[in-house]
Amino acid sequence: MGSDTKNAPALNDLRLSAAEVLGFLRSNPNFLAENPEVLQTLVPPSAKQGDNILDMQRFMVERLQNEVERLRALQAELVRAGRSNLSSQNQIHAAVLAMLEAHTFEHVIEAVTTDFAALLDVDVVSLAIESVGDDVHPGLKQGVRVVEQGMVATLLHDGREVLLRSDIEGEATIYGAGASLVHSDVIVRIDLGADAPACLLAMGSREAKRFHAGQGTELLCFLGRVVASTIKTWLNIPS
């Protein structure tokens, strides 16, 4: 059966005239801004050719300049993040070495509660252990704050190892006299084993945004594990 082509429009009839395109763009001034991918298919003029000719080349150059500026800002942010991570890594390494170089258990506790503050650039450091009556290892009672049972589980619920908090008021039960200095902090679980009481390492800063939920915690988890391992070694606590 033959096809009826009498009423089919000619191919040329489907093409828009320059006047129609111009009319559409004038009626839709935001079209190019909303569809910037169209610019990639256009051939820009070499220069302005008259008062009524829009310099599309300038528009495209400005768009490329904005993209370059965005990429430069992203690169600068990545560099800053890399430097910050390297600085944090160096601080954690220095803290670990200070603890490992201690010659007595008392010096270990002193390194954690005193030296860590300077090495990690924080204002207050506290090592706290939950009270379980007479079951607390005698060595852990020296230089360590005792907190009520369940506090570690309340702060570090769902098995998390690290808690980062900003815009807070430090708890006296954790920081003692230094609590008033604390406006952001990090709480790290110190796992001494199933037969030992729950323990935590708390580091507080007077800067309200020094610690916040968006920060990475890998290095802090590493520090907490080294502190736990060191304490267990000195006190002969089985793993």
Side-chain angles (χ1 to χ4, degrees):
M1 181 173 63
S3 60
D4 184 6
T5 60
K6 291 183 179 180
N7 296 324
L11 182 61
N12 289 340
D13 293 340
L14 298 177
R15 297 176 181 174
L16 296 175
S17 67
E20 289 173 322
V21 173
L22 183 59
F24 173 80
L25 292 176
R26 283 177 173 170
S27 300
N28 300 271
N30 295 325
F31 178 77
L32 291 177
E34 296 171 352
N35 302 273
E37 67 277 4
V38 175
L39 294 174
Q40 298 176 2
T41 65
L42 298 177
V43 178
S46 58
K48 208 170 184 179
Q49 300 179 1
D51 292 339
N52 295 324
I53 304 297
L54 179 64
D55 187 357
M56 295 298 294
Q57 185 174 15
R58 178 181 62 81
F59 181 83
M60 296 174 72
V61 168
E62 288 179 353
R63 181 168 176 266
L64 290 174
Q65 289 174 336
N66 291 336
E67 181 66 12
V68 169
E69 187 63 28
R70 185 186 71 82
L71 292 175
R72 283 178 177 170
L74 178 59
Q75 181 188 43
E77 181 62 27
L78 290 174
V79 170
R80 284 194 295 270
R83 289 175 177 171
S84 176
N85 288 339
L86 180 60
S87 176
S88 297
Q89 180 175 309
N90 290 337
Q91 288 178 328
I92 295 294
H93 287 172
V96 168
L97 288 175
M99 184 173 51
L100 295 179
E101 290 171 355
H103 297 295
T104 66
F105 183 70
E106 288 73 19
H107 288 161
V108 170
I109 300 301
E110 182 180 353
V112 173
T113 58
T114 302
D115 296 347
F116 274 20
L119 294 171
L120 300 176
D121 192 24
V122 293
D123 294 291
V124 186
V125 178
S126 177
L127 189 61
I129 187 170
E130 289 187 0
S131 172
V132 288
D134 296 332
D135 294 332
V136 178
H137 194 291
L140 289 173
K141 295 181 180 179
Q142 303 175 19
V144 178
R145 297 194 64 81
V146 177
V147 296
E148 63 183 8
Q149 289 186 26
M151 183 175 220
V152 174
T154 299
L155 292 170
L156 299 169
H157 54 81
D158 298 328
R160 68 169 63 183
E161 289 189 66
V162 176
L163 171 66
L164 296 158
R165 305 188 296 180
S166 58
D167 294 304
I168 65 165
E169 296 295 331
E171 300 96 329
T173 53
I174 296 178
Y175 295 106
S180 61
L181 295 175
V182 178
H183 297 294
S184 69
D185 71 355
V186 53
I187 307 294
V188 183
R189 182 188 300 275
I190 305 299
D191 187 359
L192 301 180
D195 297 327
C199 187
L200 63 81
L201 173 67
M203 296 176 285
S205 172
R206 67 183 70 210
E207 299 176 22
K209 301 297 183 181
R210 168 66 189 282
F211 298 107
H212 55 81
Q215 292 174 311
T217 61
E218 293 84 0
L219 289 172
L220 293 169
C221 289
F222 169 74
L223 179 62
R225 292 167 189 165
V226 175
V227 171
S229 178
T230 303
I231 292 175
K232 288 193 292 184
T233 297
W234 274 99
L235 299 182
N236 295 316
I237 298 175
S239 300

